[in-house]
């Protein structure tokens, strides 16, 4: 069993294995898409004993899976829609992730649900939250979070002094969980690789290999080297999210899925701008507003509007930002303005469509179909239930494999396979003071590393012990250590500056300059591991600066069309 490192050499080895130059001439399962569902599918397949490969056109979690609300939750609004099955399933997965699969990445967060109606609202909302907690307690896994409790207006003022309480009748405090969404994807991909899956990013699928009507693999292009490839597989599983329709077009448009993209915009502001010990969830006219604690920051969102423009780089417009600020300012004593905003990000939810409903009401449930023999497609769903989605997709692939004969496929075991970093997390957390003393780092630094790497903190500390200079903070992004940048290249598959500043770390949304100040030093640290010369470093830094400027310009535009035009003016550093 490997250590799951997604190093540059590991990528080369994975491509050699998948194309038959080394390893097997044909995979059992090839996954297209490196988001949370795709990496989850790869982990599910490989731990059932299937030879598995994964191709991602850009970076791991480069789409929806790094741009979510960063919540692992049942979904209160789905409960109000009477979608009990979805809520029950999501709460079960929440407990599993929190207590068994990823306790180092998933953590409980308290939220206040404000009550503004004096008589009927408290029993109505209280009954809903009692059902919410009851579903969680009745699941097969530990609930993992405290139960809800009722608060008076005075208690709300004590917990959240910056919350307008003059019109409140009180609040109910309940718990959900949050996660660094991109890091969960990276941990899932690494866990799959550790168990034998072949993972390669920056590889674009360009078509399908066919024998008669059956799909028997894909044609692809290695975007880093400009080389065309063929990867043969008994079953291809498409987990491309909002790109599902494009993949269906490659098989002649034969497919039962239609995915509509819904844009969700989030703002990031410093923690000191809102004094509160808990997050908030507040109804809006069309959806809900979350104010979510995020380390030394708050994440505020979201919007829920149709998007039919560039899917790789959805743009937040001035109108989107104004909307979120207007909504949150309705509940704050001291209003926020544009100068308070450190970061902005926009993501696309892949919603199963087919009806003329507003996107805020389209189902978050998922569907698995087999449009042609040898091809399985999965779409829809929500981040929290990625493991169930992956299991269903591999179940469908297993059915295809059985019809071919010769492959005995076991049941899914991913509910018992902790992600890398889960093992040893509790022990290392208990040893945090000892680790700080031995490493020379502050205990707060150890806590930061535990929350990102869990039990694999040993890898980071070993790196620092060998190269003491890597214990220094990154200039311009002092929350992160130089060792984390090096590790992002050697173990987590980062190949470009964008990968590091946007997904391996969250520097791009956690600093007012969007990471521009940190970019030169981060590029220099990456260069030593990737063999970049000075010209390549300059190119990477220049591209990142232009990307940030394009995003800033898009956020000044009033319409989606104008914002999109401003953002796509700077393409990816490796064009797909």
């Amino acid at each position: 069993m490997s250590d799951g490192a997604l190093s540059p050499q590991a990528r080369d080895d994975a491509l050699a294995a998948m194309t038959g130059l080394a390893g097997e001439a044909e995979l059992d399962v090839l996954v297209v898409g490196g988001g949370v569902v795709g990496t989850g599918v790869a982990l599910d397949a490989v731990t059932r004993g299937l030879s598995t490969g994964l191709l991602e056109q850009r970076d791991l979690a480069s789409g929806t899976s790094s741009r979510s609300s960063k919540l692992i939750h049942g979904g209160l609004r789905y409960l109000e829609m009477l979608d009990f099955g979805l809520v029950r399933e999501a709460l079960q997965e929440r407990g599993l992730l929190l207590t068994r699969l990823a306790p180092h990445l998933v953590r409980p967060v308290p939220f206040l649900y404000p009550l503004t109606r004096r008589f009927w609202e408290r029993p109505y909302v209280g009954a809903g939250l009692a059902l919410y907690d009851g579903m969680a307690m009745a699941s097969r896994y530990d609930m993992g979070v405290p139960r809800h409790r009722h608060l008076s207006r005075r208690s709300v003022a004590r917990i959240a002094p910056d919350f307008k309480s003059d019109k409140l009748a009180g609040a109910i405090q309940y718990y959900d969980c949050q996660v660094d969404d991109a890091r969960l994807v990276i941990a899932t991909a690494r866990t799959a690789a550790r168990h034998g899956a072949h993972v390669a990013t920056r590889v674009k699928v360009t078509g399908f290999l066919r024998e008669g009507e059956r799909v028997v693999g894909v044609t692809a292009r290695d975007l880093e080297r400009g080389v065309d490839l063929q990867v043969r597989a008994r079953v291809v599983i498409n987990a491309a999210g909002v790109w599902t329709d494009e993949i269906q077009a490659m098989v002649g448009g034969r497919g039962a899925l239609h995915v509509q993209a819904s844009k969700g915009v989030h703002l990031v502001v410093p923690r000191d701008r809102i004094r509160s010990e808990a997050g908030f969830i507040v109804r809006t006219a069309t959806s809900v507003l979350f104010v979510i604690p995020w380390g030394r920051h708050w994440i505020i969102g979201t919007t829920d509007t149709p998007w039919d423009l560039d899917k790789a780089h959805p743009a937040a417009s001035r109108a989107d930002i104004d909307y979120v600020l207007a909504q949150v300012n309705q509940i704050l004593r001291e209003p926020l303005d544009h100068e308070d905003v450190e970061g902005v990000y926009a993501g696309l939810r892949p919603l199963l469509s087919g009806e003329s409903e507003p996107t805020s009401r389209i189902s978050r449930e998922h569907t698995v179909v087999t449009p042609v023999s040898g091809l399985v497609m999965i779409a829809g769903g929500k981040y929290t239930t990625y493991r169930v989605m992956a299991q269903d997709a591999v179940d469908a692939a297993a059915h295809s494999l059985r019809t071919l004969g010769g492959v005995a496929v076991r049941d899914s075991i991913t509910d018992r396979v902790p992600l890398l970093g889960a093992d040893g997390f509790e022990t290392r957390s208990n040893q945090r003071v000892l680790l700080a003393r031995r490493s020379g780092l502050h205990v707060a630094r150890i806590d930061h590393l535990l929350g990102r790497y869990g039990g694999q903190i040993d890898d980071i500390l070993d790196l620092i012990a060998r190269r003491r200079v890597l214990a220094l903070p990154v200039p311009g992004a002092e929350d992160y250590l130089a060792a984390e940048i090096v590790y992002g290249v050697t173990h987590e598959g980062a190949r470009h500056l964008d990968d590091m500043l946007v997904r391996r770390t969250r520097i791009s949304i956690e600093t007012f300059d969007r990471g521009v100040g940190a970019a030169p030093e981060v590029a220099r640290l990456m260069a030593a591991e990737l063999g970049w010369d000075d010209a390549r470093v300059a190119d990477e830094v220049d591209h990142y600066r232009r990307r940030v400027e394009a995003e800033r310009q898009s956020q000044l535009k009033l319409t989606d069309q104008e914002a999109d035009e401003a953002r796509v003016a700077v393409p990816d550093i490796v064009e797909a």
Side-chain angles (χ1 to χ4, degrees):
M1 185 182 296
S2 76
D3 63 357
L6 299 177
S7 64
Q9 183 60 51
R11 178 183 184 274
D12 292 343
D13 294 345
L15 287 174
M18 285 190 277
T19 56
L21 296 177
E24 301 173 54
E26 182 182 51
L27 298 170
D28 291 325
V29 172
L30 175 66
V31 185
V32 178
V36 72
V37 176
T39 57
V41 169
L43 179 58
D44 190 287
V46 76
T47 53
R48 295 195 200 201
L50 301 172
S51 60
T52 303
L54 181 147
L55 300 178
E56 161 56 42
Q57 178 173 316
R58 292 179 175 83
D59 184 27
L60 294 171
S62 59
T64 303
S65 296
S66 61
R67 307 177 195 180
S68 72
S69 296
K70 312 196 189 314
L71 292 176
I72 298 293
H73 63 136
L76 277 180
R77 66 168 164 161
Y78 308 130
L79 190 63
E80 191 171 31
M81 294 176 185
L82 306 182
D83 199 342
F84 299 122
L86 179 61
V87 175
R88 185 183 300 108
E89 182 178 78
L91 287 172
Q92 179 168 287
E93 293 301 304
R94 184 191 74 178
L96 184 60
L97 283 162
L98 175 64
T99 63
R100 185 186 299 180
L101 300 186
H104 57 307
L105 297 175
V106 177
R107 53 191 59 89
V109 178
F111 286 94
L112 299 181
Y113 191 110
L115 304 172
T116 57
R117 312 287 184 177
R118 290 197 172 275
F119 301 109
W120 63 267
E121 193 175 22
R122 187 180 290 274
Y124 175 74
V125 176
L129 284 168
L131 179 59
Y132 196 68
D133 285 348
M135 286 181 173
M137 289 186 287
S139 81
R140 291 183 292 165
Y141 311 108
D142 291 341
M143 180 176 174
V145 301
R147 286 181 286 182
H148 75 281
R149 64 189 183 108
H150 289 258
L151 301 175
S152 66
R153 186 166 66 177
R154 181 176 298 177
S155 295
V156 174
R158 185 176 63 254
I159 293 171
D162 279 351
F163 193 95
K164 285 181 182 176
S165 58
D166 52 328
K167 296 181 180 179
L168 290 185
I172 301 178
Q173 185 181 72
Y174 77 101
Y175 282 78
D176 259 319
C177 294
Q178 74 173 181
V179 67
D180 185 326
D181 46 9
R183 292 209 63 79
L184 185 72
V185 175
I186 293 159
T188 306
R190 289 195 59 200
T191 307
R194 184 185 188 190
H195 291 288
H198 309 296
V199 178
T201 59
R202 295 307 195 304
V203 180
K204 180 180 181 178
V205 171
T206 56
F208 289 103
L209 299 174
R210 307 286 284 268
E211 289 182 0
E213 284 295 299
R214 183 174 182 81
V215 168
V216 295
V218 302
T219 58
R221 186 167 181 79
D222 180 348
L223 299 174
E224 297 281 13
R225 293 187 170 89
V227 176
D228 291 324
L229 312 168
Q230 288 191 355
V231 180
R232 297 185 66 84
R234 295 161 71 89
V235 178
V236 176
I237 300 179
N238 172 61
V242 294
W243 284 272
T244 294
D245 288 4
E246 284 82 349
I247 298 294
Q248 283 187 152
M250 292 182 188
V251 286
R254 296 175 60 180
L257 299 179
H258 176 61
V259 173
Q260 181 172 341
S262 169
K263 183 175 69 167
V265 171
H266 296 79
L267 312 182
V268 182
V269 303
R271 190 68 177 262
D272 62 9
R273 298 302 195 272
I274 304 172
R275 292 177 301 156
S276 178
E277 299 170 13
F280 315 124
I281 176 174
V282 182
R283 290 174 180 271
T284 69
T286 58
S287 185
V288 294
L289 176 79
F290 283 104
V291 182
I292 307 163
W294 178 256
R296 299 196 302 112
H297 316 268
W298 294 96
I299 292 176
I300 305 170
T302 179
T303 61
D304 199 341
T305 56
W307 178 265
D308 59 3
L309 301 168
D310 182 63
K311 293 177 180 177
H313 306 293
S317 67
R318 175 82 181 210
D320 292 324
I321 296 170
D322 286 344
Y323 170 82
V324 175
L325 287 174
Q327 295 298 320
V328 74
N329 284 339
Q330 291 182 27
I331 64 173
L332 296 178
R333 291 184 183 276
E334 296 293 332
L336 301 173
D337 60 28
H338 287 266
E339 284 67 41
D340 295 309
V341 177
E342 291 176 291
V344 180
Y345 65 93
L348 299 179
R349 307 175 189 90
L351 307 180
L352 289 174
S353 181
E355 302 178 39
S356 56
E357 293 185 88
T359 57
S360 60
R361 296 194 59 82
I362 297 177
S363 175
R364 262 57 170 181
E365 293 193 35
H366 66 273
T367 297
V368 179
V369 298
T370 304
V372 296
S373 180
L375 175 64
V376 172
M377 307 191 75
I378 182 164
K382 59 200 296 285
Y383 193 105
T384 302
T385 58
Y386 81 91
R387 193 195 64 83
V388 177
M389 296 172 65
Q391 177 179 317
D392 290 349
V394 180
D395 283 346
H399 177 75
S400 294
L401 289 168
R402 290 189 190 103
T403 62
L404 290 174
V407 178
V409 183
R410 297 179 180 273
D411 291 339
S412 175
I413 62 167
T414 51
D415 62 338
R416 304 188 297 281
V417 179
L419 301 185
L420 282 183
D423 287 341
F425 170 62
E426 191 171 3
T427 297
R428 290 293 179 263
S429 295
N430 290 341
Q431 297 171 337
R432 54 195 284 275
V433 175
L434 180 62
L435 293 175
R437 189 182 308 133
R438 287 176 176 172
S439 66
L441 299 175
H442 194 280
V443 173
R445 290 284 186 193
I446 297 297
D447 289 340
H448 162 85
L449 295 174
L450 284 166
R452 284 169 52 77
Y453 305 97
Q456 291 197 302
I457 189 175
D458 293 354
D459 291 350
I460 301 293
L461 298 182
D462 288 347
L463 189 57
I464 289 172
R466 294 194 306 271
R467 299 162 61 182
R468 193 63 203 172
V469 69
L470 297 182
L472 294 174
V474 175
E478 285 76 11
D479 285 353
Y480 297 91
L481 299 180
E484 297 179 75
I485 306 303
V486 171
Y487 193 77
V489 174
T490 60
H491 286 70
E492 296 178 342
R495 299 187 59 83
H496 295 280
L497 186 56
D498 288 17
D499 302 346
M500 192 66 69
L501 293 173
V502 179
R503 288 170 290 277
R504 302 309 181 280
T505 68
R506 307 324 284 266
I507 293 170
S508 66
I509 60 171
E510 293 176 346
T511 57
F512 277 105
D513 71 355
R514 312 285 171 92
V516 168
E521 178 62 15
V522 172
R524 187 189 68 79
L525 289 164
M526 296 180 70
E529 309 303 322
L530 290 166
W532 294 347
D533 60 17
D534 290 345
R536 176 64 182 275
V537 169
D539 284 346
E540 291 276 343
V541 172
D542 177 67
H543 175 269
Y544 184 76
R545 286 173 172 162
R546 289 187 293 111
R547 168 200 164 118
V548 169
E549 182 56 29
E551 289 178 345
R552 288 189 183 278
Q553 289 301 314
S554 71
Q555 292 157 17
L556 298 176
K557 307 301 182 182
L558 291 179
T559 67
D560 281 352
Q561 184 69 48
E562 293 171 317
D564 176 71
E565 290 172 359
R567 176 59 187 89
V568 300
V570 178
D572 288 338
I573 193 162
V574 178
E575 292 196 51

